[in-house]
PDB file of all heavy atoms in Angstrom:
ATOM      1  N   GLU X 309     -18.093  45.126  45.026  1.00 54.00           N
ATOM      2  CA  GLU X 309     -16.826  45.234  44.196  1.00 54.00           C
ATOM      3  C   GLU X 309     -16.794  46.640  43.548  1.00 54.00           C
ATOM      4  O   GLU X 309     -17.828  46.989  42.968  1.00 54.00           O
ATOM      5  CB  GLU X 309     -16.787  44.129  43.140  1.00 54.00           C
ATOM      6  CG  GLU X 309     -15.542  44.146  42.298  1.00 54.00           C
ATOM      7  CD  GLU X 309     -15.450  43.053  41.349  1.00 54.00           C
ATOM      8  OE1 GLU X 309     -16.306  42.054  41.438  1.00 54.00           O
ATOM      9  OE2 GLU X 309     -14.665  43.098  40.421  1.00 54.00           O
ATOM     10  N   LYS X 310     -15.760  47.403  43.624  1.00 62.00           N
ATOM     11  CA  LYS X 310     -15.613  48.629  43.027  1.00 62.00           C
ATOM     12  C   LYS X 310     -14.979  48.424  41.650  1.00 62.00           C
ATOM     13  O   LYS X 310     -13.906  47.809  41.486  1.00 62.00           O
ATOM     14  CB  LYS X 310     -14.692  49.511  43.855  1.00 62.00           C
ATOM     15  CG  LYS X 310     -15.260  49.861  45.247  1.00 62.00           C
ATOM     16  CD  LYS X 310     -16.612  50.661  45.158  1.00 62.00           C
ATOM     17  CE  LYS X 310     -17.199  50.974  46.447  1.00 62.00           C
ATOM     18  NZ  LYS X 310     -18.483  51.749  46.409  1.00 62.00           N
ATOM     19  N   ILE X 311     -15.659  48.924  40.634  1.00 70.00           N
ATOM     20  CA  ILE X 311     -15.151  48.716  39.212  1.00 70.00           C
ATOM     21  C   ILE X 311     -14.724  50.118  38.784  1.00 70.00           C
ATOM     22  O   ILE X 311     -15.364  51.113  38.916  1.00 70.00           O
ATOM     23  CB  ILE X 311     -16.336  48.305  38.390  1.00 70.00           C
ATOM     24  CG1 ILE X 311     -16.992  47.050  38.961  1.00 70.00           C
ATOM     25  CG2 ILE X 311     -15.828  48.028  36.901  1.00 70.00           C
ATOM     26  CD1 ILE X 311     -16.139  45.844  39.135  1.00 70.00           C
ATOM     27  N   GLU X 312     -13.599  50.040  38.064  1.00 77.00           N
ATOM     28  CA  GLU X 312     -13.084  51.345  37.533  1.00 77.00           C
ATOM     29  C   GLU X 312     -13.881  51.790  36.383  1.00 77.00           C
ATOM     30  O   GLU X 312     -14.220  51.016  35.361  1.00 77.00           O
ATOM     31  CB  GLU X 312     -11.639  51.160  37.075  1.00 77.00           C
ATOM     32  CG  GLU X 312     -11.056  52.420  36.478  1.00 77.00           C
ATOM     33  CD  GLU X 312      -9.657  52.257  35.891  1.00 77.00           C
ATOM     34  OE1 GLU X 312      -9.199  51.135  35.887  1.00 77.00           O
ATOM     35  OE2 GLU X 312      -9.058  53.165  35.427  1.00 77.00           O
ATOM     36  N   ILE X 313     -14.381  53.018  36.381  1.00 83.00           N
ATOM     37  CA  ILE X 313     -15.227  53.598  35.321  1.00 83.00           C
ATOM     38  C   ILE X 313     -14.230  54.144  34.192  1.00 83.00           C
ATOM     39  O   ILE X 313     -13.703  55.183  34.411  1.00 83.00           O
ATOM     40  CB  ILE X 313     -16.163  54.621  35.887  1.00 83.00           C
ATOM     41  CG1 ILE X 313     -17.046  54.071  36.904  1.00 83.00           C
ATOM     42  CG2 ILE X 313     -16.992  55.146  34.634  1.00 83.00           C
ATOM     43  CD1 ILE X 313     -17.983  52.968  36.408  1.00 83.00           C
ATOM     44  N   THR X 314     -14.047  53.431  33.239  1.00 86.00           N
ATOM     45  CA  THR X 314     -13.089  53.861  32.052  1.00 86.00           C
ATOM     46  C   THR X 314     -14.015  54.430  30.945  1.00 86.00           C
ATOM     47  O   THR X 314     -15.148  54.204  30.782  1.00 86.00           O
ATOM     48  CB  THR X 314     -12.305  52.796  31.626  1.00 86.00           C
ATOM     49  OG1 THR X 314     -13.128  51.728  30.946  1.00 86.00           O
ATOM     50  CG2 THR X 314     -11.502  52.138  32.785  1.00 86.00           C
ATOM     51  N   ASP X 315     -13.251  55.023  29.965  1.00 88.00           N
ATOM     52  CA  ASP X 315     -13.951  55.555  28.817  1.00 88.00           C
ATOM     53  C   ASP X 315     -14.502  54.439  27.998  1.00 88.00           C
ATOM     54  O   ASP X 315     -15.501  54.459  27.365  1.00 88.00           O
ATOM     55  CB  ASP X 315     -13.044  56.404  27.959  1.00 88.00           C
ATOM     56  CG  ASP X 315     -12.894  57.867  28.440  1.00 88.00           C
ATOM     57  OD1 ASP X 315     -13.466  58.161  29.498  1.00 88.00           O
ATOM     58  OD2 ASP X 315     -12.161  58.723  27.797  1.00 88.00           O
ATOM     59  N   ARG X 316     -13.836  53.375  28.025  1.00 88.00           N
ATOM     60  CA  ARG X 316     -14.209  52.161  27.265  1.00 88.00           C
ATOM     61  C   ARG X 316     -15.499  51.576  27.809  1.00 88.00           C
ATOM     62  O   ARG X 316     -16.382  51.084  27.059  1.00 88.00           O
ATOM     63  CB  ARG X 316     -13.105  50.998  27.311  1.00 88.00           C
ATOM     64  CG  ARG X 316     -13.508  49.752  26.570  1.00 88.00           C
ATOM     65  CD  ARG X 316     -12.342  48.672  26.694  1.00 88.00           C
ATOM     66  NE  ARG X 316     -11.320  49.089  25.672  1.00 88.00           N
ATOM     67  CZ  ARG X 316     -10.333  48.260  25.447  1.00 88.00           C
ATOM     68  NH1 ARG X 316     -10.230  47.070  26.039  1.00 88.00           N
ATOM     69  NH2 ARG X 316      -9.382  48.563  24.587  1.00 88.00           N
ATOM     70  N   LEU X 317     -15.660  51.636  29.130  1.00 88.00           N
ATOM     71  CA  LEU X 317     -16.809  51.253  29.791  1.00 88.00           C
ATOM     72  C   LEU X 317     -17.992  52.204  29.337  1.00 88.00           C
ATOM     73  O   LEU X 317     -19.158  51.686  29.138  1.00 88.00           O
ATOM     74  CB  LEU X 317     -16.708  51.134  31.361  1.00 88.00           C
ATOM     75  CG  LEU X 317     -17.703  50.253  32.047  1.00 88.00           C
ATOM     76  CD1 LEU X 317     -17.589  48.850  31.651  1.00 88.00           C
ATOM     77  CD2 LEU X 317     -17.401  50.466  33.586  1.00 88.00           C
ATOM     78  N   LEU X 318     -17.659  53.434  29.349  1.00 88.00           N
ATOM     79  CA  LEU X 318     -18.745  54.394  28.983  1.00 88.00           C
ATOM     80  C   LEU X 318     -19.178  54.209  27.509  1.00 88.00           C
ATOM     81  O   LEU X 318     -20.425  54.327  27.193  1.00 88.00           O
ATOM     82  CB  LEU X 318     -18.201  55.850  29.170  1.00 88.00           C
ATOM     83  CG  LEU X 318     -17.980  56.209  30.591  1.00 88.00           C
ATOM     84  CD1 LEU X 318     -17.532  57.718  30.638  1.00 88.00           C
ATOM     85  CD2 LEU X 318     -18.918  55.907  31.654  1.00 88.00           C
ATOM     86  N   MET X 319     -18.222  53.875  26.658  1.00 90.00           N
ATOM     87  CA  MET X 319     -18.565  53.638  25.259  1.00 90.00           C
ATOM     88  C   MET X 319     -19.427  52.430  25.180  1.00 90.00           C
ATOM     89  O   MET X 319     -20.445  52.478  24.327  1.00 90.00           O
ATOM     90  CB  MET X 319     -17.296  53.250  24.425  1.00 90.00           C
ATOM     91  CG  MET X 319     -16.384  54.416  24.258  1.00 90.00           C
ATOM     92  SD  MET X 319     -14.850  53.920  23.420  1.00 90.00           S
ATOM     93  CE  MET X 319     -13.706  55.290  23.656  1.00 90.00           C
ATOM     94  N   ALA X 320     -19.186  51.341  25.917  1.00 92.00           N
ATOM     95  CA  ALA X 320     -20.057  50.119  25.814  1.00 92.00           C
ATOM     96  C   ALA X 320     -21.523  50.508  26.275  1.00 92.00           C
ATOM     97  O   ALA X 320     -22.415  49.992  25.658  1.00 92.00           O
ATOM     98  CB  ALA X 320     -19.477  49.063  26.670  1.00 92.00           C
ATOM     99  N   GLN X 321     -21.658  51.283  27.222  1.00 90.00           N
ATOM    100  CA  GLN X 321     -22.988  51.630  27.727  1.00 90.00           C
ATOM    101  C   GLN X 321     -23.800  52.532  26.600  1.00 90.00           C
ATOM    102  O   GLN X 321     -24.908  52.238  26.459  1.00 90.00           O
ATOM    103  CB  GLN X 321     -23.018  52.481  29.094  1.00 90.00           C
ATOM    104  CG  GLN X 321     -22.146  51.838  30.133  1.00 90.00           C
ATOM    105  CD  GLN X 321     -22.185  50.333  30.170  1.00 90.00           C
ATOM    106  OE1 GLN X 321     -23.318  49.771  30.152  1.00 90.00           O
ATOM    107  NE2 GLN X 321     -21.091  49.723  30.176  1.00 90.00           N
ATOM    108  N   SER X 322     -23.093  53.450  25.957  1.00 89.00           N
ATOM    109  CA  SER X 322     -23.723  54.171  24.878  1.00 89.00           C
ATOM    110  C   SER X 322     -24.094  53.281  23.721  1.00 89.00           C
ATOM    111  O   SER X 322     -25.142  53.459  23.156  1.00 89.00           O
ATOM    112  CB  SER X 322     -22.706  55.311  24.420  1.00 89.00           C
ATOM    113  OG  SER X 322     -22.566  56.242  25.396  1.00 89.00           O
TER     114      SER X 322
END
Side-chain angles (χ1 to χ4, degrees):
E309 180 180 347
K310 297 296 182 183
I311 309 298
E312 182 184 2
I313 303 293
T314 64
D315 279 6
R316 178 179 284 190
L317 198 63
L318 300 186
M319 289 177 195
Q321 309 324 307
S322 293

